[in-house]
Amino acid sequence: MTNFQWPVRVYYEDTDAGGVVYYANYLRFFERARTEWMRASGFEQDQLRQQHQLVFAVRSIEVDYLFPARFNQLLLVDTHITQFRGASILFSQQISSTEPDTIQVLCRAHVRIVCINAQSFTPCPIPDFLKSELQKNV
Amino acid sequence: MTNFQWPVRVYYEDTDAGGVVYYANYLRFFERARTEWMRASGFEQDQLRQQHQLVFAVRSIEVDYLFPARFNQLLLVDTHITQFRGASILFSQQISSTEPDTIQVLCRAHVRIVCINAQSFTPCPIPDFLKSELQKNV
Amino acid sequence: MTNFQWPVRVYYEDTDAGGVVYYANYLRFFERARTEWMRASGFEQDQLRQQHQLVFAVRSIEVDYLFPARFNQLLLVDTHITQFRGASILFSQQISSTEPDTIQVLCRAHVRIVCINAQSFTPCPIPDFLKSELQKNV
Amino acid sequence: MTNFQWPVRVYYEDTDAGGVVYYANYLRFFERARTEWMRASGFEQDQLRQQHQLVFAVRSIEVDYLFPARFNQLLLVDTHITQFRGASILFSQQISSTEPDTIQVLCRAHVRIVCINAQSFTPCPIPDFLKSELQKNV
């Protein structure tokens, strides 16, 4: 099962007064990685929306926070698909620190994405042209 | 079981180009409500940190996104405690829209909070003075 | 000249690892106050958009950061209009801390807002029904 | 005068319901570029803080918003120093779109940064070891 990796640098904007990355901001990192995974598969989400009225919405997420990420760290987001259904995709993602001497998993997530119509916001089956290409990366 | 309610207005900062609240930002709303619940119980988190070296960190979160919240809506965050253990508290939270004619649950979450030492970032038991007061609101 | 006041509580989401409010987030506070000023004048921005295709965009901003705001502080945003032109409004805003014993100005801004068409993103004159009402609060 | 360039991709997290990048978020892009400029000069801000108690704070900013940036665009942040004084640095920055056929300046800023002591939050002269190295990039 293919694994897609995307680097994320921690800037001040991502941290809070506790000195670590604010818990909601890991969800931003996870989404950047999913967006780049889709781009690497050949799909731009703005074009999917304009040409096919397709948008991807998060239906549910589970996150385990193991260790905090800190200002200035370079993180690595691992993304792979664990399930592919009619209108939804289940991702398994994790964020690791990449210090020279140690690699440590900081945060793990399971994310269910639903393909929806951009106007009606109702779920729609993932079209075949998209499915066949994305499944090559599963 | 007591339920704590906190209103949240949706501003442009909370939304994304999909026209709805960005999925990570519901976690900010959930935390505002937990902070205000603690304040309503008589505890200020900056004082807990300065005087007792106590900080609360999110250990895990599960979120179900049912319907999207939109710009300018006035939301209501419901918060109650479902479990109280040595060093952790389990919250059940939900966000509803509050239009005059309909109340609709938009988003549900289960959040585990751990009491940690502000310096060492290691879990520590919730002190009795805090526990006894917070449990009055459970 | 009327002054509109709006309170803002500082949550963890607003701060950074420097222990203070992240510099971009004051702009979110300023916008919340402008939105609430408009609501207090009787206008909801989502309705202005849907019914009149009117959106307000920031054309320029100047911010002076005097003292940092910190986690858990209750701030006060002061907003008043200094100029009212064809398609634009110039706001003067400031953010103060509200500790019991001292009031301190933390941050000052001048913000130019332009009324634009929601589709074309081109400036359009502020309609009379809006102008006459808003000017009552100037 | 040397110009430092840093690319920024626009994700959903950066946009708002107006369909464009939220006005405060350009300040995050500007800071990423300043941080990377400093890193390219050989300085890591977490080390400057730990070893020299040095932090950089924004003292003032002026931003002109010319055209909106949109979801999925790849932007380029240009950064150069226009003034170097005892305790402060004045940056001139701009953000451009980088579509294949057109380059368009979207946003321009002047930012004054002050070197402060991490504990006292009072300004302190930029140390010579830092100044001499940074000025090579001016």
Side-chain angles (χ1 to χ4, degrees):
Chain A
M1 190 162 286
T2 318
N3 182 38
F4 178 78
Q5 291 199 313
W6 188 254
V8 168
R9 174 70 71 173
V10 178
Y11 296 107
Y12 268 120
E13 62 182 276
D14 304 308
T15 60
D16 68 22
V20 298
V21 170
Y22 182 65
Y23 88 123
N25 291 341
Y26 295 91
L27 274 68
R28 305 200 288 164
F29 301 166
F30 284 129
E31 179 164 50
R32 292 182 203 173
R34 293 193 305 268
T35 294
E36 296 299 340
W37 165 80
M38 194 161 278
R39 197 190 322 281
S41 303
F43 298 104
E44 299 288 339
Q45 288 186 68
D46 52 347
Q47 293 176 15
L48 287 176
R49 186 177 186 177
Q50 287 159 25
Q51 297 167 11
H52 304 276
Q53 285 74 52
L54 290 182
V55 175
F56 291 91
V58 176
R59 174 62 186 77
S60 66
I61 187 165
E62 297 173 27
V63 190
D64 280 309
Y65 300 93
L66 309 176
F67 296 98
R70 292 169 190 281
F71 171 69
N72 220 24
Q73 280 190 311
L74 185 61
L75 308 177
L76 208 54
V77 188
D78 287 275
T79 299
H80 72 267
I81 291 183
T82 53
Q83 205 185 47
F84 217 110
R85 294 202 300 193
S88 76
I89 308 174
L90 185 63
F91 289 92
S92 181
Q93 299 190 280
Q94 69 178 33
I95 295 176
S96 310
S97 64
T98 60
E99 265 60 65
D101 41 351
T102 57
I103 294 177
Q104 190 174 37
V105 178
L106 305 180
C107 185
R108 284 199 192 97
H110 296 284
V111 191
R112 181 169 296 279
I113 300 295
V114 187
C115 185
I116 60 174
N117 181 283
Q119 259 70 51
S120 66
F121 270 78
T122 51
C124 58
I126 302 168
D128 282 341
F129 76 91
L130 193 60
K131 199 167 193 169
S132 60
E133 207 60 42
L134 292 178
Q135 280 182 325
K136 290 182 187 168
N137 288 331
V138 174
Chain B
M1 190 162 286
T2 319
N3 181 38
F4 177 78
Q5 291 199 313
W6 189 253
V8 167
R9 173 71 71 173
V10 177
Y11 296 106
Y12 269 119
E13 61 182 279
D14 305 309
T15 59
D16 68 21
V20 297
V21 170
Y22 181 65
Y23 87 124
N25 292 342
Y26 296 91
L27 276 67
R28 306 200 287 166
F29 300 166
F30 284 129
E31 179 165 51
R32 292 182 203 174
R34 293 194 304 269
T35 294
E36 296 299 341
W37 165 82
M38 194 162 279
R39 196 189 324 280
S41 303
F43 299 104
E44 298 287 339
Q45 287 186 69
D46 52 347
Q47 292 175 16
L48 287 176
R49 186 177 186 177
Q50 285 158 27
Q51 296 167 12
H52 303 277
Q53 284 75 52
L54 291 182
V55 175
F56 292 91
V58 176
R59 174 63 185 77
S60 67
I61 189 165
E62 296 174 26
V63 190
D64 279 309
Y65 300 94
L66 308 177
F67 296 98
R70 293 170 189 281
F71 172 68
N72 219 24
Q73 280 190 310
L74 185 60
L75 308 177
L76 207 53
V77 188
D78 286 275
T79 300
H80 71 267
I81 292 183
T82 52
Q83 203 185 49
F84 217 110
R85 292 202 301 192
S88 77
I89 306 173
L90 185 63
F91 289 93
S92 181
Q93 301 190 279
Q94 69 178 34
I95 295 175
S96 309
S97 63
T98 60
E99 264 61 66
D101 41 351
T102 58
I103 293 177
Q104 190 175 38
V105 179
L106 306 179
C107 185
R108 284 201 192 95
H110 296 283
V111 191
R112 182 169 295 283
I113 301 293
V114 188
C115 184
I116 61 174
N117 181 284
Q119 260 70 53
S120 66
F121 270 78
T122 52
C124 58
I126 301 168
D128 283 340
F129 76 92
L130 192 60
K131 200 167 192 169
S132 60
E133 207 60 40
L134 291 179
Q135 280 181 326
K136 290 181 187 169
N137 289 331
V138 176
Chain C
M1 189 161 290
T2 319
N3 182 38
F4 177 78
Q5 291 199 313
W6 188 253
V8 168
R9 175 70 70 172
V10 178
Y11 296 106
Y12 267 119
E13 62 182 278
D14 305 308
T15 60
D16 68 20
V20 298
V21 170
Y22 181 65
Y23 89 124
N25 292 341
Y26 295 92
L27 275 69
R28 305 200 287 164
F29 301 166
F30 284 130
E31 179 164 51
R32 292 181 204 174
R34 294 194 303 271
T35 294
E36 296 298 340
W37 165 81
M38 194 160 279
R39 197 190 320 281
S41 302
F43 299 105
E44 299 288 340
Q45 288 186 69
D46 51 347
Q47 292 175 15
L48 287 175
R49 187 178 187 178
Q50 286 158 25
Q51 297 167 10
H52 304 276
Q53 284 74 53
L54 290 182
V55 175
F56 292 91
V58 176
R59 175 63 185 75
S60 66
I61 187 164
E62 297 174 25
V63 190
D64 280 309
Y65 300 93
L66 307 176
F67 296 98
R70 292 169 191 281
F71 170 68
N72 220 23
Q73 280 190 310
L74 185 61
L75 307 177
L76 208 53
V77 188
D78 286 275
T79 300
H80 71 266
I81 292 183
T82 54
Q83 204 185 49
F84 217 110
R85 291 202 302 193
S88 77
I89 307 173
L90 185 62
F91 289 91
S92 181
Q93 300 189 279
Q94 68 178 35
I95 295 175
S96 309
S97 64
T98 60
E99 264 62 65
D101 43 348
T102 59
I103 294 177
Q104 190 175 35
V105 178
L106 304 180
C107 185
R108 282 200 194 95
H110 297 283
V111 191
R112 183 169 293 281
I113 301 293
V114 189
C115 184
I116 61 175
N117 181 284
Q119 259 70 54
S120 67
F121 269 78
T122 53
C124 58
I126 301 168
D128 283 340
F129 75 92
L130 193 59
K131 200 168 192 168
S132 59
E133 207 60 41
L134 292 179
Q135 280 181 325
K136 290 183 187 168
N137 288 331
V138 174
Chain D
M1 188 161 288
T2 318
N3 182 38
F4 177 78
Q5 290 199 314
W6 187 253
V8 167
R9 174 71 70 172
V10 178
Y11 296 107
Y12 268 119
E13 62 182 278
D14 305 309
T15 60
D16 69 22
V20 298
V21 170
Y22 181 65
Y23 88 125
N25 292 341
Y26 295 91
L27 275 67
R28 305 200 288 165
F29 300 165
F30 284 129
E31 178 164 51
R32 293 181 202 174
R34 294 194 304 270
T35 294
E36 296 299 340
W37 165 82
M38 194 160 279
R39 197 191 320 281
S41 303
F43 298 105
E44 299 288 340
Q45 287 187 69
D46 52 346
Q47 293 175 16
L48 287 176
R49 187 177 186 178
Q50 286 158 26
Q51 297 167 12
H52 303 278
Q53 284 74 53
L54 291 182
V55 175
F56 292 90
V58 175
R59 174 64 185 74
S60 66
I61 188 164
E62 296 173 27
V63 190
D64 280 309
Y65 300 92
L66 307 176
F67 296 97
R70 292 169 192 280
F71 171 68
N72 219 23
Q73 279 191 310
L74 185 61
L75 308 177
L76 207 54
V77 188
D78 286 275
T79 300
H80 72 267
I81 292 182
T82 53
Q83 205 186 46
F84 218 109
R85 292 202 303 193
S88 77
I89 307 174
L90 186 61
F91 289 91
S92 181
Q93 299 190 280
Q94 69 177 33
I95 294 175
S96 309
S97 65
T98 60
E99 264 61 66
D101 42 348
T102 59
I103 294 176
Q104 189 175 36
V105 178
L106 305 180
C107 185
R108 283 200 193 93
H110 296 283
V111 191
R112 182 168 295 281
I113 300 294
V114 188
C115 184
I116 61 174
N117 181 284
Q119 259 71 51
S120 66
F121 269 78
T122 52
C124 59
I126 301 168
D128 283 341
F129 75 91
L130 193 59
K131 199 167 192 168
S132 60
E133 206 60 39
L134 292 179
Q135 280 182 324
K136 289 181 186 168
N137 289 332
V138 174

